[in-house]
């Protein structure tokens, strides 16, 4: 066989196609998706809660609202409302100016503080961006507001200019920008990436499992009814879900060391994650056979960006945001994050994921029932020529 003929074989053509396809799919999905950072940072929502009735609090609030690079800045929330929204990742940061701020600044007692609260159990890009912005805010407030404004105020009280400058420097050190984090994530990438890694492990295994089990389903169409084979496929997927989850939880326990109660909750979600992902990825395979994997791969790649681990929905371009609403991976990542590090219930995310799985299974049932044509079952027929004669049967 010549090399030219070898290149014309089915295996070689498939390899060439997949090599080109992977390059186009990965670069065509990841590069546009990640270009939203930092371009869409202004889409994040924050809140400024000013409880200070004095002039300093209002001045700072106005200055922050004017200069911060965000289009959505809520100023009409109470601190309790804002913190609740922060817990649910509805806000990226809460700036809290306490009611005694003006009094503390004027008194120069060294305890004038503003709280900048962020949620560590949020997409990584949000946490890192907010840390950088808070640092810049504190530098500006320390250098511009504390010194310049304090000096002007002291001059109004007929304090000599030289002495006013000296006192203003003392007041500058009186300002404190408290960076407060809620739902802190333990150090180590193994902790911060655990929600995504658990989700990816279950989803990828389920996608490959869907291809293999549906292939077995098609191969055995003449040996059992469509209904029976479909049930066999689902039962096998459940067995694989439980087995793979036991192994996955063993690894998580050895490396991350969660408590026994938490490990049990994670195990339950991982089983659900596998079953939902299996039915979600099985739709295209049931519909068009193994070629469905070609479509499943871009969907997988798109979900790795749209699952909310790296960036929130507010930063995503429209196609990725739309995908997040129907993505099992998005709800899985959010549920794992809530269970592992958050202080909110994972229930809504789990119910959303279960709903996607239920709808996907219903679609698969409809495909099997209405798209797949019935196949005549093999029925072994007895060969009369080999039937024993009465004489052979008689002892």
């Amino acid at each position: 066989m010549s090399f030219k003929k070898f290149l014309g074989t089915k295996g070689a053509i498939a390899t060439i196609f997949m090599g080109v396809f992977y390059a186009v799919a990965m670069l065509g999905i990841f590069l546009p998706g990640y270009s939203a950072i930092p371009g869409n940072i202004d889409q994040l929502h924050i809140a400024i809660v000013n409880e200070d009735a004095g002039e300093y609090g209002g001045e700072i609030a106005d200055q922050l609202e004017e200069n911060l690079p965000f289009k959505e800045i809520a100023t009409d929330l109470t601190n309790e409302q804002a913190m609740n929204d922060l817990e649910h990742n509805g806000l990226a940061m809460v700036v809290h100016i306490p009611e005694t701020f003006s009094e503390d600044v004027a008194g120069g007692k060294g305890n004038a503080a503003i709280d900048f609260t962020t949620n560590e159990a949020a997409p990584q890009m949000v946490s890192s961006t907010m840390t950088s912005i808070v640092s810049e805010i504190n530098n500006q407030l320390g250098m511009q507001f504390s010194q310049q404004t304090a000096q002007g105020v002291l001059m109004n009280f007929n304090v000599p200019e030289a002495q006013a400058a000296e006192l203003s420097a003392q007041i500058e050190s009186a300002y404190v920008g408290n960076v407060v984090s809620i739902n802190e994530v333990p150090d180590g990438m193994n902790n911060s990436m655990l929600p995504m890694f658990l989700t990816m492990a279950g989803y990828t295994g389920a996608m490959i499992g869907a291809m293999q089990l549906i292939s077995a389903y098609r191969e055995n169409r003449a040996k059992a009814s469509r209904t029976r084979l479909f049930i066999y496929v689902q039962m096998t997927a459940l067995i694989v879900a439980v087995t793979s989850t036991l192994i996955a939880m063993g690894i998580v326990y050895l490396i991350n060391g969660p408590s026994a109660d938490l490990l049990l909750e994670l195990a339950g979600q991982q089983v659900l994650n596998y079953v939902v992902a299996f039915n979600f990825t099985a739709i295209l395979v049931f519909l068009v056979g193994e070629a469905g994997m070609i479509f499943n791969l871009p969907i997988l790649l798109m979900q790795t960006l749209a699952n909310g681990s790296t960036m929130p929905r507010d930063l995503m371009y429209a196609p990725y945001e739309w995908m997040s609403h129907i993505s099992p991976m998005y709800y899985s990542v959010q549920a794992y994050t809530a269970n592992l590090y958050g202080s909110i219930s994972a229930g809504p995310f789990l119910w959303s994921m279960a709903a996607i799985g239920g709808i996907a299974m219903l679609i698969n049932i409809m495909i099997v029932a209405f798209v797949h044509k019935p196949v005549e079952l093999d029925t072994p027929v007895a060969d009369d020529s080999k039937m024993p004669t009465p004489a052979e049967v008689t002892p």
Side-chain angles (χ1 to χ4, degrees), residues 98 100-106 108-114 171 173-178:
T100 60
F101 184 78
S102 290
E103 179 182 345
D104 294 337
V105 170
K109 299 177 181 178
N111 59 353
I114 295 177
I171 294 177
S173 64
Y175 166 74
V176 177
N178 292 327

Side-chain angles (χ1 to χ4, degrees), residues 16-52:
I16 295 170
F17 172 79
M18 292 306 294
V20 174
F21 178 76
Y22 264 109
V24 173
M26 292 193 71
L27 296 178
I29 290 173
F30 284 163
L31 293 183
Y34 280 114
S35 68
I37 303 170
N40 282 2
I41 290 296
D42 61 350
Q43 301 299 317
L44 292 174
H45 297 184
I46 72 166
I48 300 175
V49 180
N50 178 27
E51 296 180 338
D52 179 25

